[in-house]
Amino acid sequence: RCEISNQKAIEIRGLVKNYGRVKALKGVDLDVNCGEIFGFLGPNGAGKTTAIRCMLDLIRPQGGSISMLGINPQEEPEAVKERVGYLPGELHVDENMTARQVFRFFNRLRGNRSDWAFIEELSERLKLELISPIKNFSKGNKQKIGVVLALMHKPELLLLDEPTASLDPLMQQEVHRMLAEAQDNGATVFFSSHIISEVQAVADRVAIIREGKIVEVAVTADLLNRSMRQVRIRFQQPTEAEELYKLPGVELIAKDDSMGILLQVEGQMDVLIKTLAKYPVNDFETERTSLEEIFLAYYNGEEDK
C-alpha cells in the first residue's frame, strides 16, 4: 500500500497536453503525498479535468511523465484503475437503470470487492433513492451516484473532479465527512474544485493552477497564515502605541481616535500579541484574508511566480 512503501501517491513531471493549438497543460509538475487530502484549485478551463484524465490514461499527453501509486498509467492502466476511485466531472450511466442496478453492475466489474452494506450506508447518508430509474433523478442525485461509485470499493486513491458540484450545502458537508473518513482509513484524496471554501475546509495542501500552469503549491494553513489580516484594537484609555507600527509586518492603516487603531498584519500574529500584552486593551478584533482573496490575487496577476 501507498503509506507503507513510502512513495508518492501521485508524481507528475513536465506534463504537457495540447488540443490542437490550445495548450491545456504547459509543463505541470505535481507531487501528492500518501494519505493526504490534496485540493486542485482553479477556474473552469484552467486544466484541472485534463490533468486528471491524463492521470487515468483516459487521454494521452504530448509530454511528461506520470506515476500513480508507483505505476505508469500509460503502461498499466488496468492496474491504476483497480486501485483508484474516480468521479468524473460528468458521470454517464444507463439512466434506465436504478442506482442499485448501477452499483451492482460496477461491483461485478470490480470482482465483487465492495461490501453491499457499505454501499447502502453511503447511499443512506447521501439520502440517495436506490429503486427509482436514474432518468427521473435531479442533477444533484446523479452526482451522489458518482460519489458512491468512487468510494464504494474503498480505493487507495480517490481522484474526484468537482465532487460536490450540484449538491446542496448539507450534502456537501456529508461528502466532506466521507472524504475525511476515507483519509482516516489510509486513502489519499485528490480533488479538483473551483469552490474555494471547499478546498479551504478539507484540503491539507492545495495547488493553484492557472492557464495550464501550477502557480502555487502550499499547505493550506500556511497559505492563509501568509496572507494579510486586519486588526482593530480598542484601548481602555487614550494610548500612544508607536512601537506596534514598527513591528515586522505591521502597518498602521487608521486611527479611529486616541483609543482605537486599525492595523494591517502580514504573516504570524505572535509578536504583535506579545507586544500588546503591556497595553490596556479593551477589545481586539481580527479579520483574515480568505483563501478566495489569495486565489483571486493569483488570477488578477498580483502574484508573480
Side-chain angles (χ1 to χ4, degrees):
R1 285 184 65 86
C2 185
E3 68 271 18
I4 295 172
S5 60
N6 202 28
Q7 70 202 12
K8 300 288 184 185
I10 301 171
E11 192 170 353
I12 296 173
R13 293 290 179 270
L15 191 63
V16 174
K17 176 62 183 175
N18 304 324
Y19 297 105
R21 294 182 178 179
V22 177
K23 299 184 188 308
L25 298 175
K26 305 172 184 174
V28 167
D29 294 333
L30 204 58
D31 287 313
V32 177
N33 299 320
C34 290
E36 72 177 334
I37 298 181
F38 192 97
F40 199 33
L41 182 61
N44 293 330
K48 303 188 302 296
T49 295
T50 297
I52 290 174
R53 288 171 66 81
C54 287
M55 291 179 205
L56 287 167
D57 196 44
L58 299 175
I59 55 175
R60 284 279 169 99
Q62 271 75 32
S65 65
I66 304 172
S67 172
M68 306 288 290
L69 301 169
I71 303 167
N72 182 335
Q74 294 181 20
E75 294 176 355
E76 300 180 77
E78 298 90 352
V80 169
K81 291 181 177 74
E82 185 180 337
R83 297 168 67 183
V84 171
Y86 171 49
L87 173 62
E90 291 186 28
L91 179 70
H92 298 287
V93 294
D94 183 346
E95 298 202 349
N96 289 312
M97 297 173 75
T98 66
R100 174 175 282 139
Q101 288 171 328
V102 168
F103 297 152
R104 286 191 166 143
F105 172 71
F106 274 86
N107 195 26
R108 283 198 297 272
L109 286 180
R110 292 166 173 156
N112 292 311
R113 286 169 51 197
S114 301
D115 176 7
W116 189 256
F118 183 59
I119 294 172
E120 290 190 322
E121 177 197 325
L122 293 173
S123 302
E124 190 174 314
R125 288 173 64 179
L126 292 172
K127 297 182 168 45
L128 180 60
E129 171 60 61
L130 292 179
I131 58 175
S132 296
I134 294 168
K135 63 186 175 187
N136 298 331
F137 279 18
S138 66
K139 197 170 181 181
N141 280 328
K142 290 176 185 175
Q143 182 73 5
K144 294 174 186 177
I145 292 173
V147 171
V148 175
L149 285 173
L151 289 166
M152 65 188 236
H153 57 303
K154 299 182 180 178
E156 293 171 59
L157 174 61
L158 285 158
L159 288 184
L160 310 173
D161 196 353
E162 305 278 355
T164 62
S166 309
L167 298 181
D168 65 52
L170 288 175
M171 287 297 103
Q172 288 179 10
Q173 290 178 5
E174 191 62 47
V175 171
H176 295 165
R177 281 191 283 272
M178 289 175 172
L179 299 187
E181 289 164 14
Q183 181 189 34
D184 288 343
N185 290 325
T188 304
V189 180
F190 180 95
F191 75 98
S192 75
S193 183
H194 66 273
I195 304 170
I196 297 163
S197 58
E198 176 170 70
V199 176
Q200 186 170 332
V202 301
D204 303 313
R205 288 197 303 143
V206 59
I208 298 175
I209 185 168
R210 173 182 180 176
E211 296 174 354
K213 288 185 175 180
I214 304 292
V215 294
E216 176 72 285
V217 179
V219 175
T220 312
D222 288 350
L223 200 57
L224 290 166
N225 285 334
R226 216 162 65 207
S227 64
M228 299 288 187
R229 291 179 178 85
Q230 286 198 346
V231 178
R232 190 177 299 277
I233 301 164
R234 294 288 297 173
F235 297 108
Q236 294 174 5
Q237 60 202 45
T239 302
E240 289 295 328
E242 297 289 332
E243 70 171 312
L244 296 179
Y245 324 145
K246 297 173 183 175
L247 294 173
V250 177
E251 181 183 341
L252 176 66
I253 297 176
K255 288 187 179 182
D256 297 344
D257 49 44
S258 60
M259 294 173 62
I261 56 173
L262 179 64
L263 305 176
Q264 180 169 285
V265 182
E266 183 176 4
Q268 299 291 338
M269 298 279 287
D270 187 58
V271 175
L272 174 63
I273 291 170
K274 285 177 177 172
T275 307
L276 267 176
K278 65 180 81 166
Y279 291 94
V281 175
N282 189 50
D283 195 19
F284 180 92
E285 294 178 19
T286 177
E287 183 178 326
R288 184 165 65 181
T289 307
S290 69
L291 187 57
E292 182 164 10
E293 290 169 287
I294 298 168
F295 174 74
L296 290 173
Y298 281 106
Y299 270 83
N300 291 332
E302 293 171 22
E303 299 278 356
D304 293 315
K305 192 70 179 166

